[in-house]
Amino acid sequence: GDKTQLAVAGLASTQAARRLLEDSELPQKTVAARVGFASEQALRKLFARRLGVSPQDYRARFGGSAG
């Protein structure tokens, strides 16, 4: 049903956003727009719910350490 589709879309978006936060210096607003979120706030909400951290904290923890 719709809930499953939303969950899958949310998961894919979260993964895409995580990758952008890790691999780029793009502002959160830009990251949110690129992965299809309506707003930076929507991105923050999803991160808090799925990962328990804000996109900012996620980037601080995991960004720039690839390779």
Side-chain angles (χ1 to χ4, degrees), residues 6-7 10 37 42-54:
L6 281 173
F37 286 100
L43 178 69
R44 281 202 301 265
K45 253 185 209 170
L46 192 77
F47 262 69
R49 204 164 63 226
R50 287 194 180 273
L51 304 174
V53 296
S54 70

Side-chain angles (χ1 to χ4, degrees), residues 4 7 9 15 18-19 21 26-28 33 37 39-41 45 57 61 64-65 67:
T4 307
Q15 289 174 329
R18 283 166 61 180
R19 204 165 296 131
L21 289 168
L26 294 171
Q28 287 178 43
F37 286 100
S39 67
E40 191 180 337
Q41 194 174 11
K45 253 185 209 170
D57 288 344
R61 207 173 295 177
S65 63

Side-chain angles (χ1 to χ4, degrees), residues 3-25:
K3 277 189 180 167
T4 307
Q5 284 181 314
L6 281 173
V8 170
L11 186 61
S13 299
T14 306
Q15 289 174 329
R18 283 166 61 180
R19 204 165 296 131
L20 282 173
L21 289 168
E22 288 171 26
D23 298 345
S24 76
E25 297 297 320

